[in-house]
């Protein structure tokens, strides 16, 4: 058995059920996935929320890993306790710590399969580059938004989120299960190749760098008074320009990007994601960039996987 330990997380949001179901099947049928001798810990992130088919009990588990929340003695939320439990079981101070964390999610938006990387940790970028090189998945680089912090995978030396959709919350879907299985097997294959020194890293990676999130139009009372325009509904990853209508209302009025929000080649993602309504997010805007693959990315990943 390898001394490298990979943490596979599903059900961080309890109503995203496809990856959780797949991990259950893997336990019943160990031959479902080839492990290449790597060590794995599989866990349901939010088991109570899964039982109730709710996104969370008290707060979003995937926003509960910030140091301020973990160190607070005044917060008694279930998800904060669960975050501490996961770190005690699989974190750097655990008896058998994990070095890589892959967190599997699903989305109601038309994102297809994609990778979400938080910040610019070199090992994360290296692993994302390997997966993109194999599967061609877009990389969404989330950074620089103070209201969105404390993500689970940031608590491990290397890690990222896999988003697969579209699928309704609480619905088991054959296409989503199959895409999750492909992504999971590819991660395992590429991590094993990196550990053996045989991984083929790309020369460049294509990144969608987060700029900002925007809310729906709201009236003076704060009520939503518009919805996603039909021209961009379901058009995640498709460039928009200053003339692209983003929102409309029942009277045919439209809303476009204001001049101060406009930048050439904006790419919207997570358009109309059901879970983000409570966060005041109608979509997130990104810019598409090609980055040269840096050697220090590989070196950082090598330090983690070759032990």
């Amino acid at each position: 058995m390898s001394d490298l330990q990979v943490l596979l997380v599903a059900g961080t949001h309890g109503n995203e059920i496809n990856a959780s179901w797949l991990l259950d099947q893997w336990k019943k049928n160990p031959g479902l996935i080839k492990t290449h001798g790597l060590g794995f810990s599989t866990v349901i992130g939010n088991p109570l929320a899964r039982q109730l088919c709710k996104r969370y009990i008290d707060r979003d588990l995937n926003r509960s890993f910030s140091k301020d929340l973990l160190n607070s003695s005044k917060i008694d939320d279930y998800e904060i306790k669960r975050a501490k439990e996961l770190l005690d079981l699989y974190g750097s101070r655990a008896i058998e710590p994990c070095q890589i964390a892959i967190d599997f999610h699903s989305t109601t938006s038309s994102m297809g399969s994609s990778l979400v990387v938080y910040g610019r940790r070199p090992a994360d970028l290296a692993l994302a580059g390997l997966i993109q090189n194999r599967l061609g998945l877009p990389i969404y680089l989330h950074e620089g938004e103070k209201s969105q912090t404390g993500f689970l995978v940031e608590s491990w030396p290397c890690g990222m989120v896999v988003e697969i959709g579209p699928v309704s919350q609480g619905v088991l879907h054959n296409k989503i299960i199959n895409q999750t299985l492909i992504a999971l097997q590819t991660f395992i294959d590429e991590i094993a190749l990196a550990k053996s020194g045989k991984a083929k890293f790309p020369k460049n990676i294509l990144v969608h760098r987060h700029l900002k999130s925007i809310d729906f139009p709201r009236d003076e009372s704060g009520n939503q008074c518009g919805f996603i325009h039909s021209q961009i509904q379901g058009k995640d990853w498709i460039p928009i320009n200053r003339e692209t209508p983003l929102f409309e209302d029942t009277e045919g009025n439209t809303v476009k990007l204001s001049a101060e929000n406009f930048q050439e080649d904006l790419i919207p993602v997570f358009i109309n994601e059901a879970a983000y309504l409570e966060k005041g997010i109608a979509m997130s805007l990104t810019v598409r960039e090609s980055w040269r693959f840096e050697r220090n990315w590989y070196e950082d990943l090598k330090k983690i996987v070759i032990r």
Side-chain angles (χ1 to χ4, degrees):
M1 182 63 70
S2 169
D3 55 354
L4 171 65
Q5 196 73 10
V6 180
L7 177 62
L8 301 175
V9 186
T12 297
H13 298 133
N15 57 1
E16 297 175 9
I17 66 173
N18 288 270
S20 299
W21 187 88
L22 181 60
L23 291 190
D24 289 344
Q25 304 314 301
W26 187 16
K27 288 181 180 179
K28 296 176 183 178
N29 178 14
L32 182 63
I33 296 169
K34 297 179 181 179
T35 64
H36 304 293
L38 298 178
F40 290 94
S41 296
T42 60
V43 66
I44 302 303
N46 198 329
L48 182 54
R50 185 195 185 189
Q51 290 176 14
L52 300 173
C53 200
K54 297 175 59 176
R55 183 173 174 85
Y56 55 78
I57 303 302
D58 294 317
R59 59 173 295 121
D60 191 334
L61 178 61
N62 202 33
R63 309 294 191 279
S64 297
F65 285 79
S66 68
K67 290 182 179 179
D68 289 345
L69 291 173
L70 293 172
N71 293 332
S72 175
S73 59
K74 298 180 180 180
I75 302 177
D76 196 39
D77 291 347
Y78 169 77
E79 279 75 16
I80 303 299
K81 295 177 182 177
R82 182 57 177 161
K84 293 177 181 178
E85 288 177 358
L86 291 172
L87 291 170
D88 288 342
L89 289 168
Y90 308 109
S92 60
R93 297 182 182 180
I95 296 176
E96 296 183 0
C98 295
Q99 292 77 45
I100 299 175
I102 310 298
D103 190 11
F104 290 88
H105 289 248
S106 62
T107 172
T108 65
S109 62
S110 298
M111 294 276 284
S113 298
S114 62
L115 308 174
V116 183
V117 176
Y118 300 103
R120 305 192 185 197
R121 298 191 303 184
D124 295 355
L125 294 171
L127 183 55
L130 287 174
I131 305 303
Q132 185 177 78
N133 198 38
R134 273 281 302 278
L135 298 178
L137 302 188
I139 298 170
Y140 172 37
L141 178 72
H142 193 286
E143 62 179 0
E145 191 159 319
K146 294 181 180 179
S147 62
Q148 299 289 320
T149 59
F151 300 103
L152 183 151
V153 297
E154 292 181 294
S155 293
W156 278 264
C158 175
M160 68 195 63
V161 160
V162 181
E163 288 278 2
I164 298 179
V167 64
S168 300
Q169 297 164 344
V171 172
L172 205 60
H173 194 292
N174 66 309
K175 183 177 179 181
I176 304 304
I177 293 167
N178 290 333
Q179 290 177 337
T180 303
L181 178 59
I182 291 169
L184 173 54
Q185 186 64 69
T186 304
F187 265 100
I188 294 173
D189 293 347
E190 291 300 322
I191 291 170
L193 287 170
K195 183 172 176 58
S196 68
K198 298 178 181 179
K200 295 182 179 180
F201 293 94
K203 293 182 180 180
N204 299 282
I205 65 172
L206 193 62
V207 171
H208 294 79
R209 180 170 57 84
H210 177 87
L211 296 177
K212 66 180 299 181
S213 298
I214 58 175
D215 194 6
F216 292 94
R218 297 189 181 274
D219 61 22
E220 294 179 355
S221 300
N223 298 313
Q224 183 177 334
C225 59
F227 47 89
I228 299 295
H229 196 280
S230 58
Q231 187 169 320
I232 67 165
Q233 177 63 55
K235 300 293 181 62
D236 299 75
W237 309 113
I238 305 300
I240 60 175
N241 58 47
R242 188 174 301 180
E243 298 306 313
T244 303
L246 302 184
F247 306 103
E248 59 183 314
D249 63 22
T250 54
E251 296 179 352
N253 300 309
T254 63
V255 176
K256 301 177 182 179
L257 282 172
S258 59
E260 61 268 21
N261 287 334
F262 181 74
Q263 181 173 334
E264 294 293 337
D265 300 322
L266 288 178
I267 312 292
V269 297
F270 286 110
I271 299 173
N272 220 5
E273 164 60 49
Y276 289 174
L277 180 61
E278 68 177 25
K279 301 180 188 299
I281 297 174
M283 70 187 75
S284 293
L285 301 177
T286 73
V287 60
R288 184 178 291 159
E289 299 174 341
S290 179
W291 291 4
R292 185 181 68 178
F293 193 96
E294 301 289 346
R295 182 171 180 80
N296 70 296
W297 299 357
Y298 160 71
E299 295 295 341
D300 274 38
L301 182 60
K302 181 179 177 181
K303 292 175 185 177
I304 291 171
V305 300
I306 302 178
R307 304 170 61 80

